[in-house]
Amino acid sequence: MPRYLSLVRIEEASAPAEGPSEALMQRMGELIEEVTKAGVMLDTAGLTPSADGTRVHWEGGKISVTDGPFTESKEVIGGYAIMQCKDKAEALEWTKRFLKVHEEFWTVTCEVREIAEG
């Protein structure tokens, strides 16, 4: 079965400074438990804020390194999930369910892409 990567992009400006609510974390935990029991979830995690990140860029034969936060970015990658699904439609259904556990004030986008195998 194909594997899919869901990159979770968030607008840090709309996310609460204190992080996700306890209710959100409970709903997310329940969904992760369900998707894991279904044999779909292979790995998932959230990421630290962009302020803690570093970008390494290659251009014109030179490397540049920039520490966060990255003020020019509207969205940042806030987490990821790797799922093994029968097809892309199934991966999209699980992703939609993930998005719906968030409160309405969150702005979250998931980019779902099939992982190219060997």
Side-chain angles (χ1 to χ4, degrees), residues 5-38:
L5 172 65
S6 179
L7 288 173
V8 181
R9 298 180 187 273
I10 63 169
E11 286 190 21
E12 284 186 313
S14 71
E18 66 277 3
S21 68
E22 286 185 36
L24 170 57
M25 293 306 294
Q26 181 176 343
R27 290 189 304 273
M28 195 174 301
E30 290 167 358
L31 179 61
I32 290 170
E33 183 177 341
E34 181 181 350
V35 72
T36 301
K37 284 182 180 177

Side-chain angles (χ1 to χ4, degrees), residues 48-110:
T48 59
S50 66
D52 298 334
T54 302
R55 285 189 179 158
V56 181
H57 181 76
W58 172 258
E59 184 176 5
K62 296 184 180 181
I63 294 273
S64 64
V65 178
T66 307
D67 290 329
F70 312 111
T71 56
E72 71 279 2
S73 296
K74 183 177 180 184
E75 294 180 328
V76 297
I77 299 173
Y80 69 92
I82 298 175
M83 302 174 285
Q84 189 164 25
C85 302
K86 64 182 182 238
D87 55 26
K88 190 173 185 178
E90 182 185 13
L92 292 174
E93 283 305 312
W94 284 112
T95 300
K96 290 174 188 176
R97 290 188 59 194
F98 167 77
L99 289 171
K100 290 179 181 178
V101 303
H102 292 78
E103 292 95 353
E104 291 183 10
F105 57 82
W106 284 86
T107 301
V108 184
T109 302
C110 289

